[in-house]
Amino acid sequence: MPKFLSLDGKVAIVSGASRGIGRAVAIELAERGASVVVNYLNSVGAAEEVVDSINKSSGKAIAMRADVSIYDQAQDLVKFSVEAYGKLDILVNNAGITRDKLIMLMTEEDWDNVQSTNLKSTFNCSKAAVKHMMRSRYGRIINITSVAGQMGNAGQTNYSASKAGQIGFTKALAREVAVRNITVNGIAAGYIETDIWKNVPEGMREAVLTLIPMGRKGLPEEIAHAVAFLASDQAAYITGQILGIDGGMAMM
Ligand code: NAP
């Protein structure tokens, strides 16, 4: 029986791991023994800092810049990981953005950018990863979605649609690949303290807090613990599920 929640010998890609939730996930997976590819887009210094801190604590990590919203770059990211570490066991589709506006003000670009970064990236990276996972008959894909995809948020038609899309994608892919011992799950995060909230007006953030039974924001590490569980051998019989980590905000 493998050690509880050990990821020894596993190889993981975390998209958007330079900051926020992805950063915490990369560190958590590395602490549990996985070799981690820290993907980033713009924050090269932050990504290098994540890699340094993992390597200094006897973990294994490398950074790779790739815009996962672009199909070819996502394929290259997976190729890079397989070349560097010889295989791929765990993919965490975490990269995401918001472009919040009421629909009357939302541009086509606001819509397209959010769909391609949040949803198309999930397809791009999963397609490339599944090819390797099918061959090795082992895989864990974890998609970081949101309560916005379950409840809908005013001012976030683009974001809510992309996150709901990830939920449908998770369930459909889980059915396709289950027989190959590949699990696909999602985490529907609530209000987690990261940069993604920095452009949201204070009044709106206060209003969101009132919707959370626990009355507080979550920490990126609280998402990372659940990712580690879903990535572990102990979660082998869990697939197609969306786990809410939101202080009780959306009870489905
Ligand atoms: P964040 O702090 O703003 O970090 C976003 C990360 O995504 C950064 O590392 C960024 O990289 C990366 N990224 C953005 N576009 C990318 C692209 N095209 N290719 C590669 N990387 C890209 O956001 P966060 O709060 O940690 O969010 C992470 C995920 O959790 C998102 O999918 C978000 O929707 C989801 N989520 C967050 C919350 C929350 O309350 N925080 C709630 C529900 C769901 P660079 O900095 O290098 O550009």
Side-chain angles (χ1 to χ4, degrees), residues 96-129:
I97 57 168
T98 51
R99 294 289 179 269
D100 297 353
K101 274 173 204 145
L102 295 173
I103 197 161
M104 296 302 285
L105 301 172
M106 190 175 287
T107 63
E108 186 182 1
E109 197 184 9
D110 293 327
W111 175 269
D112 288 345
N113 285 345
V114 169
Q115 303 317 315
S116 58
T117 303
N118 298 3
L119 181 56
K120 188 168 182 243
S121 65
T122 303
F123 164 76
N124 290 343
C125 294
S126 302
K127 183 175 161 71

mmCIF file of all heavy atoms in Angstrom, residues 96-129:
data_model
loop_
_atom_site.group_PDB
_atom_site.id
_atom_site.type_symbol
_atom_site.label_atom_id
_atom_site.label_comp_id
_atom_site.label_asym_id
_atom_site.label_seq_id
_atom_site.Cartn_x
_atom_site.Cartn_y
_atom_site.Cartn_z
ATOM 1 N N GLY A 96 -6.010 30.758 -15.203
ATOM 2 C CA GLY A 96 -7.312 31.389 -15.422
ATOM 3 C C GLY A 96 -7.246 32.895 -15.260
ATOM 4 O O GLY A 96 -6.352 33.422 -14.593
ATOM 5 N N ILE A 97 -8.202 33.568 -15.883
ATOM 6 C CA ILE A 97 -8.300 35.032 -15.788
ATOM 7 C C ILE A 97 -9.769 35.428 -15.632
ATOM 8 O O ILE A 97 -10.669 34.638 -15.914
ATOM 9 C CB ILE A 97 -7.733 35.750 -17.037
ATOM 10 C CG1 ILE A 97 -8.446 35.273 -18.323
ATOM 11 C CG2 ILE A 97 -6.231 35.572 -17.142
ATOM 12 C CD1 ILE A 97 -8.166 36.129 -19.546
ATOM 13 N N THR A 98 -9.960 36.678 -15.209
ATOM 14 C CA THR A 98 -11.306 37.277 -15.240
ATOM 15 C C THR A 98 -11.242 38.545 -16.088
ATOM 16 O O THR A 98 -10.186 39.204 -16.153
ATOM 17 C CB THR A 98 -11.781 37.681 -13.822
ATOM 18 O OG1 THR A 98 -10.761 38.473 -13.215
ATOM 19 C CG2 THR A 98 -12.077 36.482 -12.952
ATOM 20 N N ARG A 99 -12.344 38.885 -16.718
ATOM 21 C CA ARG A 99 -12.522 40.178 -17.398
ATOM 22 C C ARG A 99 -13.963 40.581 -17.102
ATOM 23 O O ARG A 99 -14.835 40.470 -17.953
ATOM 24 C CB ARG A 99 -12.299 40.050 -18.916
ATOM 25 C CG ARG A 99 -10.890 39.703 -19.349
ATOM 26 C CD ARG A 99 -9.893 40.851 -19.155
ATOM 27 N NE ARG A 99 -8.554 40.458 -19.573
ATOM 28 C CZ ARG A 99 -7.630 39.917 -18.769
ATOM 29 N NH1 ARG A 99 -7.891 39.707 -17.501
ATOM 30 N NH2 ARG A 99 -6.432 39.593 -19.228
ATOM 31 N N ASP A 100 -14.203 40.988 -15.840
ATOM 32 C CA ASP A 100 -15.576 41.177 -15.367
ATOM 33 C C ASP A 100 -16.225 42.454 -15.922
ATOM 34 O O ASP A 100 -15.639 43.539 -15.830
ATOM 35 C CB ASP A 100 -15.588 41.274 -13.835
ATOM 36 C CG ASP A 100 -15.091 40.001 -13.154
ATOM 37 O OD1 ASP A 100 -14.866 38.998 -13.852
ATOM 38 O OD2 ASP A 100 -14.934 40.026 -11.922
ATOM 39 N N LYS A 101 -17.416 42.284 -16.451
ATOM 40 C CA LYS A 101 -18.233 43.439 -16.885
ATOM 41 C C LYS A 101 -19.669 42.974 -17.032
ATOM 42 O O LYS A 101 -19.891 41.792 -17.342
ATOM 43 C CB LYS A 101 -17.775 43.950 -18.260
ATOM 44 C CG LYS A 101 -16.631 44.938 -18.212
ATOM 45 C CD LYS A 101 -16.115 45.276 -19.593
ATOM 46 C CE LYS A 101 -14.687 45.758 -19.464
ATOM 47 N NZ LYS A 101 -13.847 45.379 -20.574
ATOM 48 N N LEU A 102 -20.606 43.899 -16.859
ATOM 49 C CA LEU A 102 -21.988 43.561 -17.187
ATOM 50 C C LEU A 102 -22.070 43.327 -18.696
ATOM 51 O O LEU A 102 -21.287 43.922 -19.465
ATOM 52 C CB LEU A 102 -22.928 44.700 -16.773
ATOM 53 C CG LEU A 102 -22.990 44.937 -15.257
ATOM 54 C CD1 LEU A 102 -23.809 46.183 -14.947
ATOM 55 C CD2 LEU A 102 -23.549 43.720 -14.528
ATOM 56 N N ILE A 103 -23.010 42.501 -19.123
ATOM 57 C CA ILE A 103 -23.014 42.091 -20.533
ATOM 58 C C ILE A 103 -23.122 43.281 -21.483
ATOM 59 O O ILE A 103 -22.541 43.274 -22.571
ATOM 60 C CB ILE A 103 -24.085 41.022 -20.827
ATOM 61 C CG1 ILE A 103 -23.767 40.348 -22.154
ATOM 62 C CG2 ILE A 103 -25.483 41.613 -20.765
ATOM 63 C CD1 ILE A 103 -24.419 39.025 -22.365
ATOM 64 N N MET A 104 -23.824 44.341 -21.048
ATOM 65 C CA MET A 104 -23.969 45.497 -21.926
ATOM 66 C C MET A 104 -22.620 46.158 -22.223
ATOM 67 O O MET A 104 -22.469 46.846 -23.236
ATOM 68 C CB MET A 104 -24.904 46.537 -21.287
ATOM 69 C CG MET A 104 -26.326 46.044 -21.102
ATOM 70 S SD MET A 104 -27.082 45.534 -22.651
ATOM 71 C CE MET A 104 -27.411 47.124 -23.399
ATOM 72 N N LEU A 105 -21.659 45.976 -21.334
ATOM 73 C CA LEU A 105 -20.345 46.611 -21.508
ATOM 74 C C LEU A 105 -19.276 45.621 -21.964
ATOM 75 O O LEU A 105 -18.179 46.010 -22.380
ATOM 76 C CB LEU A 105 -19.890 47.235 -20.177
ATOM 77 C CG LEU A 105 -20.820 48.296 -19.599
ATOM 78 C CD1 LEU A 105 -20.376 48.691 -18.199
ATOM 79 C CD2 LEU A 105 -20.876 49.530 -20.506
ATOM 80 N N MET A 106 -19.580 44.333 -21.901
ATOM 81 C CA MET A 106 -18.571 43.313 -22.211
ATOM 82 C C MET A 106 -18.286 43.278 -23.713
ATOM 83 O O MET A 106 -19.221 43.286 -24.519
ATOM 84 C CB MET A 106 -19.069 41.940 -21.739
ATOM 85 C CG MET A 106 -17.997 40.859 -21.808
ATOM 86 S SD MET A 106 -18.591 39.312 -21.101
ATOM 87 C CE MET A 106 -18.595 39.708 -19.358
ATOM 88 N N THR A 107 -17.010 43.261 -24.055
ATOM 89 C CA THR A 107 -16.653 43.221 -25.473
ATOM 90 C C THR A 107 -16.481 41.767 -25.916
ATOM 91 O O THR A 107 -16.327 40.864 -25.091
ATOM 92 C CB THR A 107 -15.325 43.966 -25.720
ATOM 93 O OG1 THR A 107 -14.291 43.264 -25.004
ATOM 94 C CG2 THR A 107 -15.389 45.410 -25.244
ATOM 95 N N GLU A 108 -16.443 41.614 -27.222
ATOM 96 C CA GLU A 108 -16.208 40.275 -27.776
ATOM 97 C C GLU A 108 -14.837 39.761 -27.311
ATOM 98 O O GLU A 108 -14.665 38.585 -27.004
ATOM 99 C CB GLU A 108 -16.259 40.360 -29.309
ATOM 100 C CG GLU A 108 -16.181 39.010 -29.971
ATOM 101 C CD GLU A 108 -16.178 39.125 -31.489
ATOM 102 O OE1 GLU A 108 -16.211 40.264 -32.023
ATOM 103 O OE2 GLU A 108 -16.124 38.068 -32.142
ATOM 104 N N GLU A 109 -13.894 40.694 -27.217
ATOM 105 C CA GLU A 109 -12.541 40.324 -26.770
ATOM 106 C C GLU A 109 -12.550 39.834 -25.306
ATOM 107 O O GLU A 109 -11.883 38.860 -24.960
ATOM 108 C CB GLU A 109 -11.628 41.541 -26.918
ATOM 109 C CG GLU A 109 -10.173 41.196 -26.882
ATOM 110 C CD GLU A 109 -9.289 42.443 -26.927
ATOM 111 O OE1 GLU A 109 -9.799 43.576 -26.812
ATOM 112 O OE2 GLU A 109 -8.077 42.253 -27.054
ATOM 113 N N ASP A 110 -13.332 40.532 -24.449
ATOM 114 C CA ASP A 110 -13.460 40.097 -23.046
ATOM 115 C C ASP A 110 -13.987 38.659 -23.000
ATOM 116 O O ASP A 110 -13.572 37.842 -22.185
ATOM 117 C CB ASP A 110 -14.451 40.980 -22.261
ATOM 118 C CG ASP A 110 -13.962 42.409 -22.082
ATOM 119 O OD1 ASP A 110 -12.749 42.618 -21.965
ATOM 120 O OD2 ASP A 110 -14.830 43.320 -22.063
ATOM 121 N N TRP A 111 -14.966 38.395 -23.838
ATOM 122 C CA TRP A 111 -15.560 37.050 -23.873
ATOM 123 C C TRP A 111 -14.521 36.034 -24.373
ATOM 124 O O TRP A 111 -14.266 35.025 -23.716
ATOM 125 C CB TRP A 111 -16.794 37.047 -24.790
ATOM 126 C CG TRP A 111 -17.366 35.678 -24.958
ATOM 127 C CD1 TRP A 111 -17.049 34.765 -25.925
ATOM 128 C CD2 TRP A 111 -18.304 35.024 -24.090
ATOM 129 N NE1 TRP A 111 -17.735 33.592 -25.721
ATOM 130 C CE2 TRP A 111 -18.519 33.713 -24.607
ATOM 131 C CE3 TRP A 111 -18.987 35.405 -22.940
ATOM 132 C CZ2 TRP A 111 -19.381 32.799 -24.012
ATOM 133 C CZ3 TRP A 111 -19.857 34.486 -22.342
ATOM 134 C CH2 TRP A 111 -20.048 33.205 -22.875
ATOM 135 N N ASP A 112 -13.923 36.325 -25.522
ATOM 136 C CA ASP A 112 -13.013 35.345 -26.148
ATOM 137 C C ASP A 112 -11.783 35.070 -25.286
ATOM 138 O O ASP A 112 -11.356 33.913 -25.169
ATOM 139 C CB ASP A 112 -12.557 35.848 -27.531
ATOM 140 C CG ASP A 112 -13.678 35.771 -28.562
ATOM 141 O OD1 ASP A 112 -14.692 35.083 -28.298
ATOM 142 O OD2 ASP A 112 -13.544 36.406 -29.626
ATOM 143 N N ASN A 113 -11.212 36.106 -24.680
ATOM 144 C CA ASN A 113 -10.003 35.900 -23.872
ATOM 145 C C ASN A 113 -10.277 34.987 -22.687
ATOM 146 O O ASN A 113 -9.456 34.128 -22.350
ATOM 147 C CB ASN A 113 -9.453 37.240 -23.351
ATOM 148 C CG ASN A 113 -8.769 38.021 -24.448
ATOM 149 O OD1 ASN A 113 -8.451 37.477 -25.507
ATOM 150 N ND2 ASN A 113 -8.553 39.306 -24.223
ATOM 151 N N VAL A 114 -11.425 35.188 -22.072
ATOM 152 C CA VAL A 114 -11.754 34.366 -20.898
ATOM 153 C C VAL A 114 -12.036 32.922 -21.322
ATOM 154 O O VAL A 114 -11.566 31.976 -20.666
ATOM 155 C CB VAL A 114 -12.920 34.994 -20.102
ATOM 156 C CG1 VAL A 114 -13.457 34.031 -19.056
ATOM 157 C CG2 VAL A 114 -12.437 36.277 -19.434
ATOM 158 N N GLN A 115 -12.742 32.734 -22.421
ATOM 159 C CA GLN A 115 -12.995 31.347 -22.865
ATOM 160 C C GLN A 115 -11.690 30.647 -23.237
ATOM 161 O O GLN A 115 -11.483 29.484 -22.901
ATOM 162 C CB GLN A 115 -13.949 31.295 -24.086
ATOM 163 C CG GLN A 115 -15.294 31.947 -23.900
ATOM 164 C CD GLN A 115 -15.946 31.657 -22.563
ATOM 165 O OE1 GLN A 115 -15.964 30.518 -22.094
ATOM 166 N NE2 GLN A 115 -16.468 32.685 -21.921
ATOM 167 N N SER A 116 -10.812 31.360 -23.932
ATOM 168 C CA SER A 116 -9.610 30.660 -24.382
ATOM 169 C C SER A 116 -8.649 30.391 -23.228
ATOM 170 O O SER A 116 -8.055 29.319 -23.153
ATOM 171 C CB SER A 116 -8.921 31.389 -25.539
ATOM 172 O OG SER A 116 -8.596 32.678 -25.137
ATOM 173 N N THR A 117 -8.542 31.317 -22.279
ATOM 174 C CA THR A 117 -7.612 31.086 -21.158
ATOM 175 C C THR A 117 -8.172 30.058 -20.173
ATOM 176 O O THR A 117 -7.424 29.223 -19.654
ATOM 177 C CB THR A 117 -7.321 32.407 -20.416
ATOM 178 O OG1 THR A 117 -6.799 33.338 -21.356
ATOM 179 C CG2 THR A 117 -6.310 32.208 -19.303
ATOM 180 N N ASN A 118 -9.448 30.109 -19.896
ATOM 181 C CA ASN A 118 -9.999 29.246 -18.839
ATOM 182 C C ASN A 118 -10.478 27.897 -19.375
ATOM 183 O O ASN A 118 -10.293 26.883 -18.709
ATOM 184 C CB ASN A 118 -11.181 29.935 -18.151
ATOM 185 C CG ASN A 118 -10.787 31.236 -17.473
ATOM 186 O OD1 ASN A 118 -9.643 31.662 -17.552
ATOM 187 N ND2 ASN A 118 -11.729 31.873 -16.828
ATOM 188 N N LEU A 119 -11.114 27.908 -20.545
ATOM 189 C CA LEU A 119 -11.754 26.667 -21.015
ATOM 190 C C LEU A 119 -10.966 25.982 -22.128
ATOM 191 O O LEU A 119 -10.664 24.794 -22.050
ATOM 192 C CB LEU A 119 -13.188 26.973 -21.471
ATOM 193 C CG LEU A 119 -14.006 25.793 -21.973
ATOM 194 C CD1 LEU A 119 -14.075 24.668 -20.931
ATOM 195 C CD2 LEU A 119 -15.421 26.236 -22.354
ATOM 196 N N LYS A 120 -10.590 26.751 -23.135
ATOM 197 C CA LYS A 120 -9.860 26.111 -24.245
ATOM 198 C C LYS A 120 -8.534 25.546 -23.748
ATOM 199 O O LYS A 120 -8.084 24.487 -24.180
ATOM 200 C CB LYS A 120 -9.643 27.110 -25.385
ATOM 201 C CG LYS A 120 -9.067 26.447 -26.615
ATOM 202 C CD LYS A 120 -9.106 27.307 -27.849
ATOM 203 C CE LYS A 120 -8.557 26.528 -29.031
ATOM 204 N NZ LYS A 120 -7.353 27.127 -29.584
ATOM 205 N N SER A 121 -7.902 26.243 -22.805
ATOM 206 C CA SER A 121 -6.630 25.760 -22.231
ATOM 207 C C SER A 121 -6.823 24.387 -21.588
ATOM 208 O O SER A 121 -5.923 23.540 -21.632
ATOM 209 C CB SER A 121 -6.135 26.738 -21.167
ATOM 210 O OG SER A 121 -7.046 26.764 -20.079
ATOM 211 N N THR A 122 -7.982 24.176 -20.999
ATOM 212 C CA THR A 122 -8.274 22.894 -20.338
ATOM 213 C C THR A 122 -8.324 21.787 -21.390
ATOM 214 O O THR A 122 -7.780 20.700 -21.200
ATOM 215 C CB THR A 122 -9.602 23.010 -19.555
ATOM 216 O OG1 THR A 122 -9.480 24.096 -18.630
ATOM 217 C CG2 THR A 122 -9.926 21.749 -18.797
ATOM 218 N N PHE A 123 -8.953 22.087 -22.513
ATOM 219 C CA PHE A 123 -8.946 21.142 -23.644
ATOM 220 C C PHE A 123 -7.531 20.959 -24.176
ATOM 221 O O PHE A 123 -7.054 19.837 -24.351
ATOM 222 C CB PHE A 123 -9.870 21.657 -24.768
ATOM 223 C CG PHE A 123 -9.630 20.984 -26.092
ATOM 224 C CD1 PHE A 123 -10.077 19.694 -26.330
ATOM 225 C CD2 PHE A 123 -8.925 21.646 -27.104
ATOM 226 C CE1 PHE A 123 -9.824 19.063 -27.553
ATOM 227 C CE2 PHE A 123 -8.678 21.029 -28.325
ATOM 228 C CZ PHE A 123 -9.127 19.725 -28.549
ATOM 229 N N ASN A 124 -6.841 22.087 -24.413
ATOM 230 C CA ASN A 124 -5.496 22.025 -25.026
ATOM 231 C C ASN A 124 -4.548 21.130 -24.226
ATOM 232 O O ASN A 124 -3.883 20.258 -24.783
ATOM 233 C CB ASN A 124 -4.884 23.430 -25.095
ATOM 234 C CG ASN A 124 -5.571 24.342 -26.098
ATOM 235 O OD1 ASN A 124 -6.305 23.876 -26.967
ATOM 236 N ND2 ASN A 124 -5.343 25.644 -25.969
ATOM 237 N N CYS A 125 -4.480 21.378 -22.926
ATOM 238 C CA CYS A 125 -3.518 20.632 -22.093
ATOM 239 C C CYS A 125 -3.988 19.196 -21.868
ATOM 240 O O CYS A 125 -3.173 18.272 -21.889
ATOM 241 C CB CYS A 125 -3.324 21.320 -20.738
ATOM 242 S SG CYS A 125 -2.542 22.935 -20.884
ATOM 243 N N SER A 126 -5.298 19.013 -21.679
ATOM 244 C CA SER A 126 -5.803 17.661 -21.405
ATOM 245 C C SER A 126 -5.597 16.762 -22.620
ATOM 246 O O SER A 126 -5.221 15.596 -22.476
ATOM 247 C CB SER A 126 -7.292 17.692 -21.046
ATOM 248 O OG SER A 126 -7.503 18.512 -19.927
ATOM 249 N N LYS A 127 -5.850 17.304 -23.800
ATOM 250 C CA LYS A 127 -5.688 16.488 -25.014
ATOM 251 C C LYS A 127 -4.257 15.978 -25.131
ATOM 252 O O LYS A 127 -4.022 14.799 -25.388
ATOM 253 C CB LYS A 127 -6.085 17.291 -26.256
ATOM 254 C CG LYS A 127 -6.009 16.466 -27.537
ATOM 255 C CD LYS A 127 -6.511 17.250 -28.719
ATOM 256 C CE LYS A 127 -6.033 16.648 -30.035
ATOM 257 N NZ LYS A 127 -6.677 15.376 -30.361
ATOM 258 N N ALA A 128 -3.316 16.877 -24.910
ATOM 259 C CA ALA A 128 -1.899 16.481 -25.005
ATOM 260 C C ALA A 128 -1.542 15.491 -23.901
ATOM 261 O O ALA A 128 -0.821 14.523 -24.130
ATOM 262 C CB ALA A 128 -1.022 17.726 -24.906
ATOM 263 N N ALA A 129 -2.065 15.713 -22.695
ATOM 264 C CA ALA A 129 -1.712 14.853 -21.555
ATOM 265 C C ALA A 129 -2.304 13.458 -21.697
ATOM 266 O O ALA A 129 -1.635 12.457 -21.404
ATOM 267 C CB ALA A 129 -2.206 15.497 -20.259
#
